[in-house]
Amino acid sequence: QQQQQQPDQQRHFHDIIQQMLREGGNMESLDPQNFMSAMSQRMRSSTTTTSRTTTTTTRSLHRHGAVRGMNGDGGELAVDISWATNFEYQRKVWNRAVDIYDERPHLGLEDQNEHWIADTLQPIMLASFPPFPPENKLNYNLVLPQDHYDADCEVATLVGCSGNDKEHATWKEVVVYKHRKLVHMYNLVSHGRKMYRVLIYTSHHGFCLHSLSPNFDPKAAPPPPFASKQAGKMKLQRRNIPSLIISRVNKALGGHELLLPKRLLGGLIPDALLSSHRFYHGKDGVIRGAPLVEDETDEWFNFRLEIHLVMKEDGTISAHVKKFPTHSPISSLDAAITEGLTDVTDTNATTATATTT
């Protein structure tokens, strides 16, 4: 990314120098000290230049197709990431910023169908980001989608970017559950030019699939009752490290598969299965898990898994989880693609279905 960024910086410096020459004559007539001062001023006032970190992060999100700035006409707009209050994510436009310190009822949300979102979210967020002292306040906005949630909605999502001016700038996804008064927070992590959701916080450790460390500070005051069972850390940022893609040829499957590191699946697949199985993603879109140690005498994990993802019309994804005996035949990639990633009939399979957003 830095190598791609250098030519852009060089072109930008060149454009500024050419403009200064047009205004001030030839290079010999420019006083060196005045030239450097004017150059610094031009760079600070330029609206097209952002910090290296912000530009790198923005380009990374553009490359993954995760977030794009939107202008008034619906087209793409290249802006500093700290201005990103109007962007596209998961085929939706997000442009309704929410301030958790808003003192108006329901955080100022006018739609009655969304009042429960504010009433559930605000106290939990304030428990981790109190208004005093000021340095502990949340320094970024959470953004709701442009389309309002209807009366039947039971799960709502907000998105925000933490540390937009830092090297470890992290996009976060906050999921609010209506009936359980529950909040989950995920980091959006880049790996192999794809984005993954990794659970980093839950307001109730009994309702998540990831084993997070209890959020307990012996020096702090006791948490409020609604946050007494919270786990994880909302302030956790992504690690700014390179990624490595590992693929294999599965002869039984008849095609290539990509390894899914378990650190990227926290909160999406139960930790018990992440400890016992290794998961691969086939080109047919099916996620397949095989036990780390094949032991026919193991009464707990002597099986393999297949997770079929099916997109519904309302945008939700239905996950069909299938359990097979370890030595049962594997459907080929061509067969799975032909059958459309829905049910793959197998008399040896045990199926469970779950719906997620």
Side-chain angles (χ1 to χ4, degrees):
Q1 292 174 348
Q2 293 177 356
Q3 290 176 351
Q4 292 175 354
Q5 186 180 355
Q6 288 176 357
D8 294 339
Q9 291 179 334
Q10 292 173 357
R11 285 194 295 270
H12 187 60
F13 292 146
H14 179 268
D15 293 341
I16 291 180
I17 292 173
Q18 290 297 322
Q19 183 178 358
M20 293 177 66
L21 288 176
R22 287 194 297 269
E23 296 173 358
N26 55 39
M27 182 67 73
E28 289 76 9
S29 64
L30 292 176
D31 179 79
Q33 185 174 0
N34 293 338
F35 172 78
M36 293 304 298
S37 176
M39 188 71 175
S40 299
Q41 184 176 0
R42 294 294 181 93
M43 290 300 298
R44 286 194 300 269
S45 63
S46 174
T47 59
T48 60
T49 302
T50 58
S51 66
R52 181 183 68 177
T53 301
T54 301
T55 304
T56 302
T57 305
T58 305
R59 286 181 180 170
S60 176
L61 291 171
H62 277 250
R63 184 181 299 109
H64 295 297
V67 179
R68 297 200 303 272
M70 305 288 289
N71 60 23
D73 300 327
E76 293 187 16
L77 181 66
V79 298
D80 188 298
I81 214 167
S82 63
W83 304 338
T85 57
N86 191 6
F87 52 88
E88 183 179 328
Y89 171 64
Q90 289 187 341
R91 297 178 295 278
K92 295 180 181 179
V93 175
W94 304 70
N95 58 8
R96 293 189 294 144
V98 175
D99 182 5
I100 65 171
Y101 304 104
D102 195 324
E103 297 182 357
R104 293 176 295 172
H106 315 294
L107 296 179
L109 296 180
E110 299 179 355
D111 193 335
Q112 293 184 356
N113 295 329
E114 297 181 333
H115 286 178
W116 65 270
I117 301 175
D119 297 341
T120 302
L121 177 68
Q122 186 179 32
I124 293 177
M125 294 296 296
L126 290 180
S128 296
F129 301 97
F132 298 102
E135 57 268 19
N136 289 341
K137 293 181 65 175
L138 184 71
N139 58 5
Y140 59 94
N141 282 326
L142 296 176
V143 185
L144 283 166
Q146 175 178 284
D147 297 332
H148 290 222
Y149 289 105
D150 56 33
D152 297 329
C153 176
E154 299 180 356
V155 182
T157 302
L158 302 91
V159 179
C161 182
S162 170
N164 60 77
D165 58 342
K166 307 296 183 182
E167 188 175 0
H168 50 68
T170 304
W171 284 90
K172 294 178 178 287
E173 182 177 316
V174 179
V175 183
V176 186
Y177 295 84
K178 182 176 184 179
H179 297 301
R180 287 177 172 168
K181 307 298 182 182
L182 178 69
V183 173
H184 286 169
M185 180 179 283
Y186 297 82
N187 277 354
L188 299 184
V189 179
S190 172
H191 179 82
R193 298 180 181 268
K194 293 183 179 180
M195 301 298 291
Y196 294 86
R197 299 164 67 243
V198 179
L199 184 70
I200 61 167
Y201 171 86
T202 178
S203 59
H204 195 305
H205 58 74
F207 296 113
C208 72
L209 301 178
H210 192 25
S211 297
L212 296 169
S213 300
N215 193 350
F216 175 73
D217 185 357
K219 298 181 181 179
F226 55 80
S228 60
K229 296 185 178 181
Q230 63 181 349
K233 296 181 179 180
M234 286 189 179
K235 298 180 181 180
L236 186 65
Q237 301 288 94
R238 68 175 179 86
R239 293 185 297 169
N240 189 27
I241 57 176
S243 59
L244 174 67
I245 299 176
I246 299 176
S247 65
R248 71 175 185 179
V249 176
N250 189 330
K251 295 182 179 179
L253 194 62
H256 285 79
E257 294 179 308
L258 294 180
L259 174 68
L260 296 177
K262 66 179 184 180
R263 66 180 178 85
L264 301 176
L265 302 177
L268 306 179
I269 295 177
D271 272 6
L273 295 177
L274 294 181
S275 299
S276 62
H277 286 64
R278 182 178 289 114
F279 290 87
Y280 288 86
H281 193 192
K283 68 178 182 181
D284 57 353
V286 178
I287 298 174
R288 295 175 173 85
L292 296 175
V293 179
E294 294 190 8
D295 184 359
E296 295 183 357
T297 63
D298 188 345
E299 61 177 310
W300 294 107
F301 300 111
N302 186 27
F303 58 85
R304 59 181 181 83
L305 294 169
E306 289 186 5
I307 304 175
H308 299 254
L309 305 177
V310 181
M311 179 70 72
K312 295 184 176 181
E313 294 181 357
D314 60 359
T316 60
I317 298 176
S318 179
H320 299 263
V321 183
K322 297 177 177 292
K323 174 181 173 181
F324 298 86
T326 304
H327 298 292
S328 61
I330 301 177
S331 301
S332 67
L333 282 174
D334 293 336
I337 294 174
T338 302
E339 294 180 24
L341 306 187
T342 56
D343 270 345
V344 180
T345 303
D346 192 317
T347 57
N348 294 321
T350 303
T351 306
T353 302
T355 302
T356 184
T357 54

